[in-house]
């Protein structure tokens, strides 16, 4: 069962990503790759994979403090195998990214996520650092006062 994203994210909606889990420092996002998500090797483009990992980590960070937004400070991604859906996979087959909050302070979240293909094989893994921001800050370009630190 898909959950609503608590923030309007046009790019995520454009890709067709769904939120499947959002609780206790964990999240799961899914995507059924379409032809336009593929690269020249006919597998899911690395940028789509990285976006899924970024969103999985961000939602894991937000799941413990949903009234705040997060912005990506740093992200490292390792690709292990092509992210593809088998040609004979059932119609609902999807890529799945599972995010986990590893540690947080009042201002920062340290996370990881793994992207799996339709057979449950790990395709990519990422770690990321996110800054918690008040929702109004996320849409304002002027400098904002910092959140309190631990």
């Amino acid at each position: 069962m898909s959950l609503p994203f608590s923030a309007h994210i046009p790019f995520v909606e454009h890709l067709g990503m769904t939120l499947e889990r959002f609780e206790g420092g964990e999240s799961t996002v899914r995507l059924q790759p379409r032809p336009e998500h593929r690269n020249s090797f006919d597998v899911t483009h690395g940028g789509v994979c990285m976006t899924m990992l970024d969103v999985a980590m961000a939602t894991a960070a937000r799941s413990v403090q949903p009234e705040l937004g997060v912005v990506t400070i740093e992200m490292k991604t390792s690709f292990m195998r092509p992210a593809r859906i088998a040609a004979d996979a059932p119609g609902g087959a999807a890529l799945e990214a599972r995010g986990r909050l590893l540690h947080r302070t009042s201002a920062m979240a340290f996370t990881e996520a793994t992207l799996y293909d339709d057979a449950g094989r790990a395709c990519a893994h990422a770690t990321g650092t996110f800054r918690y921001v008040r929702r109004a800050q996320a849409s304002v370009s002027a400098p904002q006062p910092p959140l309190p630190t631990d």
Side-chain angles (χ1 to χ4, degrees), residues 46-102:
V48 173
C49 297
M50 290 181 73
T51 299
M52 288 186 71
L53 292 163
D54 181 57
V55 171
M57 292 186 294
T59 52
R62 288 193 55 251
S63 72
V64 297
Q65 199 152 5
E67 70 279 4
L68 294 176
V70 293
V71 293
T72 309
I73 300 299
E74 169 274 334
M75 179 176 171
K76 181 207 180 286
T77 304
S78 296
F79 295 95
M80 297 173 272
R81 69 169 15 101
R84 61 171 55 121
I85 301 297
D88 61 349
L95 299 175
E96 185 173 276
R98 296 180 209 143
R100 185 167 71 107
L101 176 64
L102 301 172

Side-chain angles (χ1 to χ4, degrees), residues 6-79:
S6 60
H8 173 65
I9 312 167
F11 186 57
V12 169
E13 292 171 10
H14 172 73
L15 290 175
M17 209 176 302
T18 61
L19 179 63
E20 306 295 323
R21 179 179 171 95
F22 181 72
E23 64 181 327
E26 295 183 352
S27 72
T28 302
V29 297
R30 291 174 58 89
L31 175 75
Q32 291 179 295
R34 300 186 304 256
E36 60 268 27
H37 295 141
R38 295 186 187 130
N39 63 19
S40 62
F41 295 101
D42 203 32
V43 297
T44 307
H45 192 283
V48 173
C49 297
M50 290 181 73
T51 299
M52 288 186 71
L53 292 163
D54 181 57
V55 171
M57 292 186 294
T59 52
R62 288 193 55 251
S63 72
V64 297
Q65 199 152 5
E67 70 279 4
L68 294 176
V70 293
V71 293
T72 309
I73 300 299
E74 169 274 334
M75 179 176 171
K76 181 207 180 286
T77 304
S78 296
F79 295 95

